[in-house]
Amino acid sequence: MEGVFNFVFGASDTLFYTVLDAKLRASKVMAHRIGLGQSKDIEIFDEPCHECFVDITRTKDKRFHLINSSRLDSSKVFVFPSAHDFWQHSSKETNAQALQLARPRQASVEYFIDHHDGEFIILTNSPKDDKAGLPTADPLPFRLVRAPTASLTSEHWEELLGVGDDELIEDVEIFKNHIMVSLKRQGQPAVYIYDRASGCRSELSLPYKGYCTVRPEPNPQFEATTVRLGFSSPVHLESVIEYDLASLKQGKSWAPTPLHINSDEYKCQRLSVPCGSVNIPMTLIHHESVELSKGGGSELGREWYSNGKGANKVNSIADYLSCIRFLLDKGWSSSSRLAATGVSAGGLVVGAALNKSPEYFRAAALHVPFVDPLSAMLSPDLPLTGVEISEWGNPLSCSASYVTIRDYAPYDNIRQMNSGQQGPSILVTAGGLDQRVPVWQTTKWVARLRSAGGYHLRVPGGTGCVPKLLFYPQMDAGHFHADTSGTEAGSDSGGDFISAQALHNAFLISELSTGHC
């Protein structure tokens, strides 16, 4: 088969798959009967909106298939029985009637569906009064609701599990007798296990005192009585722990042993950094021999995310700089010992911070940084520009969005970083096969840094040496260079990922070790 983006098996001899349009957007869902030529495939869904990305999945109990037409901030999901035969009902109208819309699209409202024991389980941030179609001022917290199999539409949704304003649900896993809910509470991870029979929920005990990230491992068995979760922290390698869903006890675990480092000698702290009327969460890692005072906690939720996107993107940059000033004011770092890293959109934040306060930094390493958002969002023919509009705004149709992006975009705000004093050394890496951040974007940013950022000058007086600006494009690499399994386009093995990380770390360590040149 050709042109398949992703696929999922259906009943018997059927599979469903999505195809990409000319802008690399998954826009159609096709049905294929194994044994027939691809020319006999049936189109069952087509999404014309260029801001939407289409995906097809199957409920964990294998009774229904789901077509999700999603934007970055909203969902529209169609459901059809897995047993539906699209060839028997060959008319387009009849097959279209098999697709049941769960809820119309609404700005800032998302929902995700699974099925369990005669009812649908829906994770959603829709308003509880469900006035579908009416705009919401800000995204609401996610909650877990249910609906009878025969009455999926949103007017029949009933509360199953709610969370507080300081909690953000990140993932839900459905099992025959339990539901696992992974969330963040005041920025800290937590995992609930909901017992379907008793209606009670309990919380798992997490490793590393909760200073970790939680990643649900593949748990494909609907009737499983255990769940596997992956954990990592700034001082621990990734590990996997299996929990018993009924007793909540830890069972098997898999944890690699790091070489040349004792993780127990390092501490993690969650600090709260004031920035205007809000507190910014910051994780601090240090050796046990270093004594640091500890601040209070922070409150996070869905509102925090919305306050860092679109017209509020500048808040992310202000938050970042507030954390850096906090470290400098406390004396826990200095401008000669402070380094920054940023990847993709994170590179935008670091790049903007370098423009605003280059004197804070000794060095920075940026991988595929999204440093020219204005040009990208002004170019609708670029892959993925359409689907990113809800994240960044549309400067083509909205002058306010144009001004907002222009005012924080790293490329459009470069000032001389090396004028009479040392500026930060910068390493920039890019991928020639990157379809998210094209290599020309980082190339033109580096060129402007050299011409307008002062990296072609010698500093008057002193030793006469200049900060480094290194550009390392790998023309056979993609957005991630390589993932840990080596499956990224343009990579040979997982070693490429390690090599990329080693390059960044070696650069930063070298710059911090030498101090100002």
Side-chain angles (χ1 to χ4, degrees), residues 145-276:
V145 301
R146 58 187 174 189
T149 299
S151 305
L152 170 61
T153 51
S154 55
E155 63 265 23
H156 301 287
W157 293 0
E158 297 179 353
E159 195 83 11
L160 178 62
L161 176 67
V163 297
D165 291 340
D166 61 347
E167 294 182 324
L168 175 64
I169 295 180
E170 295 191 321
D171 205 348
V172 173
E173 190 79 57
I174 305 295
F175 297 92
K176 182 177 180 180
N177 298 317
H178 298 86
I179 299 175
M180 183 214 72
V181 180
S182 174
L183 52 82
K184 287 284 184 67
R185 181 193 303 120
Q186 295 183 348
Q188 295 288 94
V191 178
Y192 289 141
I193 302 298
Y194 180 82
D195 189 299
R196 295 303 312 276
S198 66
C200 298
R201 70 179 183 183
S202 305
E203 187 169 341
L204 293 180
S205 175
L206 304 183
Y208 315 136
K209 299 179 181 180
Y211 293 113
C212 59
T213 59
V214 180
R215 182 194 68 255
E217 293 289 299
N219 292 280
Q221 300 302 321
F222 179 63
E223 299 188 2
T225 58
T226 59
V227 60
R228 291 182 179 180
L229 300 174
F231 300 93
S232 64
S233 84
V235 296
H236 296 90
L237 298 178
E238 291 190 5
S239 61
V240 177
I241 300 176
E242 186 175 80
Y243 290 87
D244 185 281
L245 290 167
S247 67
L248 309 184
K249 293 181 179 179
Q250 294 186 15
K252 299 177 181 178
S253 63
W254 299 263
T257 301
L259 300 176
H260 313 302
I261 185 173
N262 183 358
S263 299
D264 294 335
E265 295 180 356
Y266 293 84
K267 295 182 178 180
C268 288
Q269 294 189 31
R270 170 73 77 173
L271 305 180
S272 180
V273 179
C275 181

Side-chain angles (χ1 to χ4, degrees), residues 41 97 102 112 195 257 317 321 349 405 428 451:
D41 292 357
Q97 292 173 4
F112 309 90
D195 189 299
T257 301
I317 302 163
L321 287 170
V349 174
I405 298 173
V428 184
S451 62

Side-chain angles (χ1 to χ4, degrees), residues 302-321:
R302 189 65 178 171
E303 184 179 358
W304 183 270
Y305 166 73
S306 64
N307 284 339
K309 59 179 287 192
N312 299 319
K313 195 66 183 180
V314 67
N315 291 345
S316 299
I317 302 163
D319 293 349
Y320 187 72
L321 287 170

Side-chain angles (χ1 to χ4, degrees), residues 132-150:
L134 296 180
T136 56
D138 291 299
L140 300 172
F142 275 90
R143 58 199 176 96
L144 206 59
V145 301
R146 58 187 174 189
T149 299

